Amino acid sequence: MVSSKTKADDVFGLLYETGKAINSSLDTDTIIRNILVIVTKHFKFKDFTFLAVDGNKLVLKGALNHPRWGDKNYFIRIGEGITGAVAATGRPLLIRDVRKDKRYIGIRPKMLSELCVPVKTDGKTIGIFNLESTKLDAFDDKDLKLLSALANQTAVAIKNANLHKSYADTVKRLTNLNESAKAINSSLQLDNVLNTLLKVSAKELHYDSIAILLIKNGRLYARAGVGFTHEEIVSYTADIGEGICGRVAETGEPLVINDISKCGFYINQSPRTKSEMAVPIKYGKEVIGVYNVESNSFNSFDQEDMLFVSALAEQAAIAIRNAELYAKIEGFSEVLKAKVEEATSELKSANEELQRLNKAKSDFVSIVSHELRTPMTSIIGYIDLVKDAQCGPVNEKQKEFLQIAHGESMRLYRLLKDLLDIQKIEAKKMVYLFKPFGIEPFLRKYSREVGRECKAKRLSFSLLLPEKIPVIKADEDKIRQVMANLVSNALKFTKKGGIKIEAAVLPKSVQISVSDTGIGISQENQKLLFEKFSQVNMEASREAGGTGLGLAITKAIVEAHGGRIWVKSELGKGSTFAFTVAIVKATNN
Ligand SMILES: Nc1ncnc2c1ncn2[C@@H]1O[C@H](COP(=O)(O)OP(=O)(O)O)[C@@H](O)[C@H]1O
Ligand SMILES: [Mg+2]
């Protein structure tokens, strides 16, 4: 019997109301709750249930007055009873008297009539709506049509809700993947990379244990995991091709195994494991590891889980490779560091040895020069005595030879002095006696000597002085040494023309220069001049004699006076050496 409310013209109202109610939600539970409200309003019944297909069973998803509501273990096998028959055939059943139907299995004795319709999406039965009444013949064809219409609308709503849920799940997984990509790529430490991988996937999967295995020297080793003890992880290893993971490593193809007991090549690790999923971690085409998830229930992993972990593994592969490379580089730089330290310490001891040798050499030179100088002085003195006929007459020939001996002895003496000077300069033991010094009278007097020497060599000589030269502060002997060196060089390297000594007063210093019209010095050689033992024009220098120490000593002396020395020269045209000495502030003295 149809309730008074469900008259023909109410049909559209009901459908409209149903549509509005159930389509307002994208959540399956809410949809079912709304259906229950509508059913109560429009049908007269004792018991209403919504059973959903789950594998080969029907399970309770919604009910009004059902005695087993809330019982998680309650189910009906597909094919059993009226509801089971509807689920099996996908066709509705209207039973006017249940007592006359052999298929009927009563949970409550008082039920007399029943109406059961399938809920189908895409032609597939996903559940049933079932109404029972304590009255005979409580439902008619109209009720059947109405409940079927309701079921159809519900099916659409549930399908939408499912679609929405899987869409939302996908979005969630994508977001998760994106997050993991960021986290994974932000680290170069392998452990960090693997831990992030575990954390991200653990959020998404129904697992009991996860292990990340990496290939090393042709074998699989566990590198990280959850649901294992540290010892289990450290001790796990497998051959390529051995067991599920070994097979995935070998083929490079993922495996999803719903029932481990039916898998021929499973090597029993944990007795509790029921299903397993293993995904290769590939860098390009090369398998570098396996991502393995195990579950203590059957059917824990589906295609989507596999795709998700594959995407994750793809990201991880790059990061794992980077981390491995980084570790290698780090190891390499450790080795390099050790090598550099070793080399440095070798260099240090070599340097110490060199310093020791250098000091030994300096000591030797200074001792020898010193020891030679004393006898040299007496030799020169005695030659002088003999030459000047102080010890009896000397003939012209003897005098000439003694003159030569005297000159050579003097040369040796100066050489020894240069050696001692450079030694002192290097040891920073040169002693200076700075005093106010009238450079003008000094230059006038000194120039007379130079003039004589020039005349002897048929060279011209000139002295150019400004009107008044301020007093400078200097060590007179050292300035004489500087002048002697510059002038002796000029004389040595000049065959024709002449020599000029010039002084100029600058704002803070006096500049003195010695110019010649000699062989000149090339641009390149000018840079080397002031280094010790540098004789830049070997031929000319050898011929002229000398040690190559003069300019090095000269430069050191000038700099000790706070001045500067430089050269301007052109090959074949002559050279000008100039130096400065600072002016003393109070110029009275
Ligand atoms: N006035 C100059 N003209 C050309 N060459 C010069 C002149 N002065 C110095 N030199 C070059 O510089 C070198 C270094 O000079 P110096 O240090 O005084 O050593 P030494 O006079 O013992 O050779 C000389 O051997 C020579 O080649
Ligand atoms: Mg010289």
Side-chain angles (χ1 to χ4, degrees):
M1 204 164 67
V2 180
S3 107
S4 59
K5 277 180 190 165
T6 51
K7 290 189 187 108
D9 24 321
D10 276 348
V11 171
F12 294 113
L14 166 71
L15 289 181
Y16 173 72
E17 192 185 346
T18 319
K20 221 171 61 177
I22 62 185
N23 287 324
S24 66
S25 172
L26 281 169
D27 167 55
T28 321
D29 289 343
T30 315
I31 291 168
I32 291 164
R33 254 198 317 277
N34 290 340
I35 295 290
L36 295 183
V37 173
I38 292 161
V39 169
T40 332
K41 250 169 98 179
H42 292 277
F43 297 90
K44 279 241 161 88
F45 57 89
K46 188 72 198 169
D47 179 318
F48 171 77
T49 51
F50 168 51
L51 296 157
V53 174
D54 183 7
N56 56 358
K57 293 175 291 191
L58 281 170
V59 294
L60 260 180
K61 282 282 170 178
L64 284 168
N65 307 327
H66 194 281
R68 301 288 294 274
W69 177 242
D71 179 352
K72 286 240 157 60
N73 293 323
Y74 176 74
F75 67 88
I76 296 167
R77 257 184 213 93
I78 293 194
E80 266 179 21
I82 306 293
T83 50
V86 172
T89 61
R91 279 198 296 274
L93 282 173
L94 175 57
I95 318 289
R96 294 173 197 275
D97 185 348
V98 293
R99 290 168 301 184
K100 289 181 185 153
D101 198 310
K102 284 200 189 88
R103 292 170 296 188
Y104 183 76
I105 307 164
I107 308 177
R108 284 205 280 187
K110 283 187 185 146
M111 297 301 167
L112 289 175
S113 58
E114 180 170 0
L115 173 60
C116 185
V117 300
V119 178
K120 291 186 188 176
T121 62
D122 305 321
K124 198 174 140 212
T125 306
I126 59 161
I128 57 100
F129 279 172
N130 191 52
L131 286 172
E132 290 185 35
S133 174
T134 44
K135 292 192 182 117
L136 263 180
D137 208 8
F139 312 104
D140 61 11
D141 281 347
K142 214 173 199 173
D143 291 319
L144 191 149
K145 279 194 185 116
L146 266 180
L147 195 61
S148 297
L150 203 59
N152 284 340
Q153 274 184 316
T154 306
V156 173
I158 287 176
K159 191 180 165 189
N160 283 344
N162 285 342
L163 274 178
H164 174 76
K165 187 172 178 299
S166 83
Y167 174 72
D169 285 352
T170 308
V171 169
K172 198 173 135 237
R173 281 193 166 177
L174 279 175
T175 315
N176 219 336
L177 266 179
N178 194 29
E179 292 292 303
S180 77
K182 272 191 261 168
I184 286 172
N185 287 325
S186 68
S187 176
L188 278 171
Q189 297 295 329
L190 187 58
D191 287 342
N192 288 352
V193 170
L194 299 182
N195 282 333
T196 310
L197 194 58
L198 285 177
K199 240 197 283 178
V200 171
S201 51
K203 266 199 259 176
E204 291 294 329
L205 303 169
H206 301 283
Y207 68 94
D208 286 287
S209 64
I210 304 179
I212 297 175
L213 318 174
L214 295 183
I215 294 175
K216 202 180 164 191
N217 305 328
R219 284 183 72 78
L220 281 168
Y221 293 92
R223 278 304 308 261
V226 278
F228 295 105
T229 62
H230 178 71
E231 280 67 37
E232 281 173 317
I233 295 198
V234 172
S235 63
Y236 176 88
T237 171
D239 270 331
I240 307 294
E242 177 190 87
I244 291 175
C245 291
R247 189 157 289 219
V248 167
E250 189 177 56
T251 61
E253 295 296 329
L255 279 175
V256 176
I257 292 160
N258 288 320
D259 183 351
I260 215 88
S261 64
K262 299 206 176 100
C263 173
F265 46 84
Y266 176 67
I267 296 166
N268 202 4
Q269 301 279 347
S270 153
R272 278 160 292 143
T273 298
K274 296 283 189 300
S275 55
E276 180 167 343
M277 171 167 75
V279 174
I281 301 171
K282 286 203 235 178
Y283 185 78
K285 283 195 174 133
E286 182 198 355
V287 179
I288 61 169
V290 175
Y291 182 98
N292 185 56
V293 210
E294 297 184 21
S295 164
N296 296 348
S297 354
F298 295 106
N299 302 309
S300 285
F301 312 106
D302 60 16
Q303 192 69 11
E304 263 165 49
D305 293 332
M306 195 268 281
L307 289 175
F308 171 70
V309 173
S310 298
L312 207 57
E314 206 161 299
Q315 289 176 353
I318 301 166
I320 289 169
R321 253 299 136 83
N322 285 347
E324 281 172 352
L325 276 177
Y326 179 71
K328 246 188 218 165
I329 291 170
E330 241 186 356
F332 181 66
S333 54
E334 282 301 311
V335 171
L336 210 66
K337 208 172 124 200
K339 284 235 166 95
V340 167
E341 265 162 23
E342 196 182 315
T344 309
S345 106
E346 272 171 25
L347 218 65
K348 210 175 135 205
S349 51
N351 199 25
E352 277 164 8
E353 177 65 4
L354 259 162
Q355 271 176 0
R356 197 186 62 74
L357 286 175
N358 195 35
K359 186 169 182 300
K361 182 213 73 183
S362 299
D363 290 350
F364 172 76
V365 170
S366 111
I367 289 165
V368 169
S369 325
H370 219 92
E371 290 306 308
L372 285 176
R373 222 152 71 111
T374 319
M376 258 343 277
T377 319
S378 14
I379 292 170
I380 292 167
Y382 285 114
I383 292 176
D384 262 344
L385 277 177
V386 178
K387 181 181 67 141
D388 294 346
Q390 306 258 353
C391 335
V394 191
N395 66 33
E396 277 309 307
K397 201 77 202 165
Q398 287 169 329
K399 197 172 175 176
E400 188 196 330
F401 288 170
L402 284 169
Q403 191 68 48
I404 294 171
H406 185 265
E408 291 300 300
S409 303
M410 277 308 285
R411 218 164 85 145
L412 201 56
Y413 183 85
R414 279 196 297 272
L415 191 147
L416 289 174
K417 188 176 181 308
D418 275 0
L419 278 174
L420 277 170
D421 275 354
I422 203 83
Q423 222 61 64
K424 274 189 217 155
I425 286 165
E426 282 183 353
K428 299 197 166 56
K429 280 183 183 156
M430 192 73 140
V431 181
Y432 293 91
L433 276 170
F434 292 106
K435 277 186 195 159
F437 172 49
I439 188 91
E440 194 185 330
F442 165 81
L443 284 178
R444 285 194 195 285
K445 200 173 152 216
Y446 185 71
S447 287
R448 281 199 284 275
E449 278 174 48
V450 184
R452 271 198 299 275
E453 285 184 70
C454 282
K455 206 172 171 190
K457 283 194 77 182
R458 293 169 191 279
L459 295 172
S460 68
F461 174 74
S462 55
L463 172 69
L464 284 170
L465 296 179
E467 232 149 65
K468 193 170 157 47
I469 306 177
V471 172
I472 58 170
K473 202 174 187 184
D475 181 328
E476 183 175 345
D477 284 345
K478 299 291 190 301
I479 296 294
R480 184 189 304 279
Q481 200 177 337
V482 167
M483 287 307 289
N485 199 359
L486 296 181
V487 168
S488 76
N489 282 347
L491 283 167
K492 259 200 287 191
F493 299 105
T494 309
K495 293 262 161 28
K496 54 179 192 286
I499 291 169
K500 182 173 71 183
I501 294 178
E502 207 173 342
V505 180
L506 306 179
K508 285 181 178 172
S509 60
V510 174
Q511 178 183 317
I512 296 152
S513 58
V514 178
S515 307
D516 64 56
T517 55
I519 60 171
I521 307 151
S522 71
Q523 206 69 22
E524 198 185 327
N525 286 340
Q526 288 175 24
K527 289 176 214 148
L528 307 168
L529 282 186
F530 297 98
E531 278 163 34
K532 58 177 178 170
F533 301 113
S534 69
Q535 291 186 316
V536 294
N537 184 335
M538 285 313 274
E539 216 176 303
S541 304
R542 279 273 156 267
E543 196 191 311
T547 54
L549 288 172
L551 285 176
I553 295 168
T554 301
K555 184 170 182 254
I557 293 175
V558 168
E559 283 172 359
H561 280 76
R564 215 163 66 73
I565 183 164
W566 66 94
V567 62
K568 280 202 180 107
S569 182
E570 206 178 317
L571 264 183
K573 295 222 166 125
S575 318
T576 297
F577 283 82
F579 68 95
T580 57
V581 184
I583 296 171
V584 185
K585 283 228 173 103
T587 52
N588 297 347
N589 267 21

